Amino acid sequence: MEQGKISALQLALIMYPGILATGFISLPVITAIYAQNDLWLAVILSTVTGLFSIYLSIRLHELYPKQTVVEYSVKIIGSIPGKIIGVIYFLVFAHFVGVVSREYAEFVTGNFLIKTPILLVLSSIVLLAAFAARGGAEMIARCAVIFTPIFIIPLFFLLLLIPDLDPRNLFPVLSRGFVPVLKGSATPQAWLSEFFMMTFFLPILSNPDKGKKMALLTLICIIVSMTYVNLISLFVLGIDISDKVYPILIVFRYIRIGEIFENLEVLLLAMWIVGNFVKLSLFFYSAALSFTFTFKLTDYRTVIFPIGILSIIFGFWDIPNFSGLAYFLRVLIPFYLITMFVLIPLVLLIVATIRNKIAAGKGGSGP
């Protein structure tokens, strides 16, 4: 099992790109389809789900310290139901590795490496993430420390567009009411529910008392970053943002200062690569631990590469083309992730709380 230790700051550096890596590319257009110029409000509204997901992970960790969701599920609802949940989490994580790697490959081959086979691009990023996950939590944390600044720096180049921004695109606010904003917030809420994946790292924190504080700080940074990107995209592209496949890519192509700063979309590519590498490593590691704890293996490293092969299959299975992928991300992801990272943990917490109260009552009535 995992013997390494990571700090709360390292966990924050893992979770930031782990949640945002794909969000910068896809979330502006997904939220704009429903909310249009109110897409920034949809992001702010999703903060509630992020807070609730953090609360669930921290509270369950306090009740069952040194254990992950796969381990304490068995104690809360019994051996067989708990193992079923463990298998479900394993399949979800492995499947999501495939989905994220396919989204990564579609962007790279569609805009940069046009003649490169998509299987090659997808397999290469999965292989890199597999090596990182095989190295353990400390390896993922050290990669995040190096790559997260690279992930953040390109965002500051968007400030070069300040002379071209048109804040009037922000108005009128809520002209279509609150329901479109609520619909547009579904996907950001699903992304922020991934904070529950902290459950696989909380048992190995070297300073667990700072875990909650750093998680909340990470949530604030993510909300600010998502709102910032959405507003920049809106100010540059206007309400036509929902008609673009990759709005932020178009925005980066607008950046030009003289003959020196131009073609800066390569920065977005670098951001895309390192961010998805951290995200895939996070899901890879979680899938391996879920499988290992469910079937009581002695070492999670032995299942890393088989999971990689399974994830590559998932990356193509039932995703015939880019349109199918876009439909999955826009329509199915909200139900998919919120069920796994909010509803199931909520049920576990309710059952655990009831069991603890019953046990305390019996203990208090005894001699």
Side-chain angles (χ1 to χ4, degrees), residues 74 77-85:
V74 174
I77 60 176
S79 178
I80 294 178
K83 288 185 179 296
I84 291 174
I85 287 181

Side-chain angles (χ1 to χ4, degrees), residues 15 64 75 81 96 103 113 129 141 199 209 247 278 342 367:
M15 297 306 299
Y64 301 93
K75 293 188 175 182
F96 212 70
E103 186 179 3
L113 305 178
T199 182
D209 55 309
V278 176
V342 176

Side-chain angles (χ1 to χ4, degrees), residues 15-24 27 31 39-57 96 184-199 215-227 230 279 282-283 333-334 336-343 345:
M15 297 306 299
Y16 181 83
I19 293 175
L20 274 182
T22 51
F24 281 131
L27 281 183
T31 53
L39 73 166
W40 59 282
L41 287 173
V43 172
I44 296 175
L45 185 62
S46 63
T47 306
V48 177
T49 302
L51 288 171
F52 192 51
S53 184
I54 291 173
Y55 168 77
L56 290 173
S57 61
F96 212 70
S185 70
T187 301
Q189 288 184 61
W191 250 265
L192 290 175
S193 71
E194 293 174 3
F195 265 107
F196 184 75
M197 294 180 66
M198 294 191 309
T199 182
L216 293 174
L217 180 61
T218 305
L219 174 62
I220 293 172
C221 292
I222 288 174
I223 294 298
V224 171
S225 299
M226 291 170 63
T227 305
N230 283 355
K279 187 180 187 80
L282 170 63
F283 276 91
I333 276 291
Y336 189 38
L337 293 184
I338 290 178
T339 297
M340 297 307 303
F341 298 141
V342 176
L343 295 183

Side-chain angles (χ1 to χ4, degrees), residues 35-40 164-176 230-241 254:
Q36 297 187 22
N37 63 303
D38 294 323
L39 73 166
W40 59 282
D164 301 316
L165 301 183
D166 186 0
R168 290 175 297 179
N169 293 331
L170 188 66
F171 302 101
V173 178
L174 292 176
S175 60
R176 289 165 298 279
N230 283 355
L231 286 176
I232 292 289
S233 301
L234 177 63
F235 290 166
V236 173
L237 301 177
I239 60 173
D240 293 335
I241 188 174
Y254 269 90

Side-chain angles (χ1 to χ4, degrees), residues 52 55-57 59-61 63-64 67-78 81-86 89 196 199-200 339-356:
F52 192 51
Y55 168 77
L56 290 173
S57 61
R59 183 58 184 147
L60 285 167
H61 174 69
L63 293 175
Y64 301 93
Q67 297 181 41
T68 67
V69 61
V70 179
E71 294 172 285
Y72 55 66
S73 293
V74 174
K75 293 188 175 182
I76 294 174
I77 60 176
K83 288 185 179 296
I84 291 174
I85 287 181
Y89 271 111
F196 184 75
T199 182
F200 292 96
T339 297
M340 297 307 303
F341 298 141
V342 176
L343 295 183
I344 291 179
L346 177 60
V347 172
L348 291 175
L349 180 59
I350 292 173
V351 174
T353 302
I354 294 173
R355 287 174 62 96
N356 288 344

Side-chain angles (χ1 to χ4, degrees), residues 262-274:
E262 57 183 5
N263 299 323
L264 294 185
E265 62 265 26
V266 68
L267 294 175
L268 184 63
L269 177 61
M271 181 182 180
W272 184 247
I273 292 173
V274 298

Side-chain angles (χ1 to χ4, degrees), residues 83-131:
K83 288 185 179 296
I84 291 174
I85 287 181
V87 172
I88 291 173
Y89 271 111
F90 159 69
L91 291 174
V92 166
F93 291 138
H95 181 236
F96 212 70
V97 170
V99 171
V100 172
S101 59
R102 176 65 181 272
E103 186 179 3
Y104 162 85
E106 288 281 356
F107 177 76
V108 173
T109 58
N111 297 279
F112 297 96
L113 305 178
I114 298 174
K115 295 183 179 181
T116 305
I118 190 171
L119 178 61
L120 178 61
V121 177
L122 187 150
S123 300
S124 62
I125 192 70
V126 169
L127 180 63
L128 286 174
F131 278 116

Side-chain angles (χ1 to χ4, degrees), residues 157-360:
F157 281 85
L158 293 174
L159 295 175
L160 296 174
L161 288 170
I162 288 179
D164 301 316
L165 301 183
D166 186 0
R168 290 175 297 179
N169 293 331
L170 188 66
F171 302 101
V173 178
L174 292 176
S175 60
R176 289 165 298 279
F178 188 72
V179 174
V181 176
L182 187 61
K183 291 180 178 179
S185 70
T187 301
Q189 288 184 61
W191 250 265
L192 290 175
S193 71
E194 293 174 3
F195 265 107
F196 184 75
M197 294 180 66
M198 294 191 309
T199 182
F200 292 96
F201 294 91
L202 290 175
I204 59 171
L205 287 186
S206 58
N207 49 347
D209 55 309
K210 296 183 179 179
K212 181 178 180 180
K213 178 180 178 181
M214 293 307 298
L216 293 174
L217 180 61
T218 305
L219 174 62
I220 293 172
C221 292
I222 288 174
I223 294 298
V224 171
S225 299
M226 291 170 63
T227 305
Y228 166 72
V229 170
N230 283 355
L231 286 176
I232 292 289
S233 301
L234 177 63
F235 290 166
V236 173
L237 301 177
I239 60 173
D240 293 335
I241 188 174
S242 60
D243 298 328
K244 308 296 188 295
V245 178
Y246 298 115
I248 192 64
L249 176 62
I250 299 174
V251 170
F252 266 94
R253 286 174 175 168
Y254 269 90
I255 301 175
R256 177 175 298 176
I257 299 181
E259 300 296 329
I260 300 176
F261 291 102
E262 57 183 5
N263 299 323
L264 294 185
E265 62 265 26
V266 68
L267 294 175
L268 184 63
L269 177 61
M271 181 182 180
W272 184 247
I273 292 173
V274 298
N276 277 278
F277 168 72
V278 176
K279 187 180 187 80
L280 288 171
S281 301
L282 170 63
F283 276 91
F284 229 123
Y285 179 76
S286 302
L289 286 189
S290 298
F291 188 90
T292 302
F293 287 134
T294 299
F295 296 100
K296 296 184 178 180
L297 304 182
T298 56
D299 190 357
Y300 68 88
R301 295 171 180 85
T302 58
V303 301
I304 289 291
F305 292 110
I307 291 174
I309 296 174
L310 179 63
S311 297
I312 292 174
I313 295 173
F314 279 144
F316 291 95
W317 181 51
D318 206 30
I319 304 179
N321 48 41
F322 179 79
S323 298
L325 177 64
Y327 177 82
F328 178 82
L329 294 175
R330 179 170 58 89
V331 178
L332 301 181
I333 276 291
F335 300 99
Y336 189 38
L337 293 184
I338 290 178
T339 297
M340 297 307 303
F341 298 141
V342 176
L343 295 183
I344 291 179
L346 177 60
V347 172
L348 291 175
L349 180 59
I350 292 173
V351 174
T353 302
I354 294 173
R355 287 174 62 96
N356 288 344
K357 287 184 177 181
I358 292 175

